[in-house]
Amino acid sequence: MTSSTAWLPVKMMIGGKLVAGEGQPITVRNPSTGEVTIEFAGASLDQTKAAIASARVAADKGEWAAKPQKERVAIVRDLLARFTARHDDLRDLIVTETGMPIKSFALPAQISAPLAQMDVMLDLCLKLPEIEENPITLDERINNMGGFVQSIRRYVPVGVVAAISAYNFPLHINLWKLMPALATGNCVILRPSPLTPLSALALAEIAAEAGLPEGVLSIIAESGAEGAQLLTTDPAVNMVSFTGSTEVGSIVAGQAAPSMKRLQLELGGKSAQIYLPDRVEAAFSAAVGVCIAHAGQGCVLGTRIFVPEAEKAKVLGAMAASMAYLKIGDSTDPETTMGPVISEAQAQRCERYVKLAVEAGATVVAGGKRADRPGYFFEPTILDVPDNKNPSAQDEIFGPVVSVIGYRDVEHAIEMANDSSLGLSGYVYGKDARAALDVAKRIRTGTINVNAFFASANSSSGGVKMSGIGRERGVEGIRAFQDVQVMNLGSAV
């Protein structure tokens, strides 16, 4: 057993109490070496049932939901302060379990950014009204008995929320489910990815000291998917917030349908980066940007790169040259600029898609194979792809593999960008801001960035098409955890 961190939390939190797992063992491996970091007992199905039952009792009792909004937010803010106080320990856990390099420019997105964004989110939560008046007409305000009517909307907690998260940015994803759900008065059961459970169990250890009412928060980790399936099917659960692949998201939606659960799904992406002719000189950095952003393991990364056909050869040459500056290595080495993918299975997926791409007519310009070292490393890879129908341009690979595709004209670029079953994010670059904006308005995706990348607690994100349902962050991300109840109030006559 090896570890780069002294803190390896392994206990679950069920109904507010820390308990040892009673289920099958979870094996956490260091992606940089492939060696076992720790093995421990995960939650059993009975423990998942206990977490659901505890949350249901707490939700029905209503103590947490009934607290004044300011009081509830103050408690959640105290919880956030406890997390923030363990920033460096959480960072070390993230580096250990995800393999993100300790000096990566993207590491702040794993911990510093979400912690800061949570504080902003809580401020936003306090600004949102708990009740709003419906815009009924003056005539409607007099009922048929001669009394007066007021019609209002109340925003009330959904109830019990199952939060199921992905492995790539585990703390970020966990916090963006956990904190707004709690702040709006819900009871939450958090189930992290079995590949990266430690940061979630660290939150459990810290939260156990915060004194939340019993049943308001449970955090469980498991080696398989039996508990996750129960969370998505049990009628006692009112909402499922899931981040992961489109394939699994479709299964989650089907499992939630019989009990009509609220769904918030952030799923796969195959985002386009369109470089307009007047900005094509900037395209050389697009490939290395994807590869060093957690080895391409990001659903919003622009892995389809569209450039003018006449400039494609020049762009590919500059991209290949930029790869020479990347250093693949252990995530704890401060000189490392690109770390591993999460697992052996993910490295094999990258291999398989490069093979499929080449069989369909693509050419490997750089990389294209496993790195010759221990761990789950795949070389930063540039594919010269003949058209948007190539498997590497249609499917989410989730690794350091980019597809560069030439376009005849801007209309052709827009057509190819929209020729995807996915629509999570996208990018348009152009010196003529008006022309770039005109292109951006025609891309069918949940978020589109023009000459920028922006993420804020005040600005939501989410997908269209097969990239998901609902939004996270912003007003919509807070309201997602609330139901609307209309109250029609009449005066006594």
Side-chain angles (χ1 to χ4, degrees):
M1 182 183 298
T2 62
S3 173
S4 61
T5 179
W7 188 29
L8 295 173
V10 298
K11 288 190 175 181
M12 321 287 143
M13 185 164 77
I14 298 177
K17 298 180 177 63
L18 290 178
V19 297
E22 299 173 354
Q24 294 299 310
I26 298 174
T27 301
V28 179
R29 294 186 179 273
N30 184 336
S32 290
T33 64
E35 296 176 358
V36 175
T37 297
I38 191 170
E39 186 172 275
F40 61 97
S44 67
L45 187 60
D46 282 343
Q47 287 181 306
T48 302
K49 290 177 181 178
I52 294 172
S54 179
R56 187 69 264 162
V57 169
D60 291 342
K61 186 177 179 182
E63 176 188 348
W64 178 244
K67 286 184 180 296
Q69 184 169 280
K70 286 185 178 180
E71 183 179 338
R72 199 169 54 232
V73 168
I75 294 170
V76 176
R77 204 184 294 276
D78 174 69
L79 185 60
L80 175 63
R82 293 170 186 268
F83 295 158
T84 304
R86 300 295 297 270
H87 176 283
D88 290 352
D89 293 329
L90 289 168
R91 177 202 61 205
D92 292 345
L93 274 178
I94 292 293
V95 170
T96 295
E97 67 179 354
T98 68
M100 176 169 279
I102 190 70
K103 293 297 183 181
S104 170
F105 84 96
L107 187 59
Q110 291 277 17
I111 176 166
S112 300
L115 287 171
Q117 288 175 350
M118 289 304 106
D119 206 41
V120 177
M121 181 277 297
L122 292 174
D123 288 340
L124 178 60
C125 192
L126 288 173
K127 294 175 184 176
L128 297 180
E130 294 180 278
I131 62 170
E132 293 178 317
E133 186 167 344
N134 286 316
I136 62 175
T137 66
L138 184 61
D139 287 343
E140 290 176 312
R141 292 179 186 275
I142 301 175
N143 66 27
N144 56 9
M145 293 187 293
F148 291 99
V149 172
Q150 182 184 22
S151 182
I152 63 173
R153 298 187 300 276
R154 290 180 67 220
Y155 293 96
V156 298
V158 170
V160 175
V161 175
I164 304 174
S165 61
Y167 67 77
N168 55 331
F169 286 82
L171 187 69
H172 190 134
I173 297 169
N174 291 339
L175 288 176
W176 266 114
K177 296 181 185 304
L178 180 64
M179 304 300 273
L182 288 176
T184 50
N186 295 283
C187 298
V188 186
I189 305 161
L190 173 63
R191 186 270 193 189
S193 165
L195 295 171
T196 53
L198 299 179
S199 51
L201 297 181
L203 297 182
E205 189 173 300
I206 299 168
E209 305 168 355
L212 290 168
E214 183 178 342
V216 169
L217 175 61
S218 292
I219 300 178
I220 54 174
E222 62 172 341
S223 60
E226 193 177 24
Q229 182 173 347
L230 182 62
L231 288 169
T232 60
T233 55
D234 194 313
V237 176
N238 303 106
M239 174 178 175
V240 178
S241 176
F242 171 81
T243 299
S245 70
T246 295
E247 291 76 14
V248 177
S250 297
I251 295 171
V252 168
Q255 291 170 344
S259 51
M260 293 294 179
K261 300 186 192 309
R262 170 79 57 82
L263 286 175
Q264 183 189 58
L265 306 177
E266 187 187 61
L267 308 178
K270 196 67 188 176
S271 302
Q273 295 192 59
I274 299 176
Y275 287 84
L276 298 179
D278 66 353
R279 192 73 192 280
V280 70
E281 76 282 353
F284 83 94
S285 64
V288 73
V290 169
C291 293
I292 64 176
H294 200 11
Q297 297 170 110
C299 52
V300 300
L301 296 178
T303 54
R304 290 187 297 156
I305 303 167
F306 295 98
V307 299
E309 188 66 58
E311 303 290 334
K312 187 178 180 184
K314 185 190 298 184
V315 169
L316 287 169
M319 282 183 177
S322 72
M323 293 300 190
Y325 297 97
L326 291 182
K327 180 182 177 183
I328 297 175
D330 191 286
S331 60
T332 59
D333 183 348
E335 299 299 316
T336 295
T337 54
M338 196 189 93
V341 293
I342 192 65
S343 65
E344 176 64 25
Q346 199 58 32
Q348 291 178 3
R349 181 179 176 88
C350 294
E351 282 185 302
R352 184 170 71 255
Y353 267 97
V354 169
K355 182 175 183 290
L356 290 171
V358 171
E359 288 174 351
T363 301
V364 177
V365 176
K369 63 183 186 301
R370 297 283 292 267
D372 185 18
R373 57 175 297 127
Y376 311 130
F377 291 89
F378 197 82
E379 292 180 347
T381 299
I382 302 170
L383 298 175
D384 178 355
V385 176
D387 58 66
N388 193 60
K389 299 298 184 184
N390 192 281
S392 69
Q394 287 294 314
D395 297 340
E396 185 177 49
I397 301 172
F398 230 58
V401 182
V402 298
S403 301
V404 181
I405 306 168
Y407 63 82
R408 297 185 300 272
D409 51 34
V410 173
E411 287 297 319
H412 186 213
I414 294 169
E415 177 188 337
M416 289 192 293
N418 287 331
D419 181 20
S420 173
S421 63
L422 303 173
L424 189 60
S425 189
Y427 308 82
V428 179
Y429 299 95
K431 290 180 180 178
D432 184 334
R434 177 62 61 186
L437 180 60
D438 287 343
V439 171
K441 290 190 291 186
R442 297 177 61 191
I443 305 302
R444 188 155 185 251
T445 183
T447 301
I448 191 75
N449 302 277
V450 180
N451 293 326
F453 175 76
F454 181 71
S456 165
N458 290 301
S459 175
S460 72
S461 65
V464 298
K465 298 189 279 188
M466 296 297 288
S467 284
I469 298 170
R471 311 286 294 186
E472 290 190 312
R473 302 199 302 266
V475 173
E476 303 97 318
I478 294 172
R479 292 302 196 200
F481 294 101
Q482 296 176 312
D483 280 328
V484 176
Q485 182 187 56
V486 171
M487 300 188 75
N488 300 311
L489 309 174
S491 58
V493 178

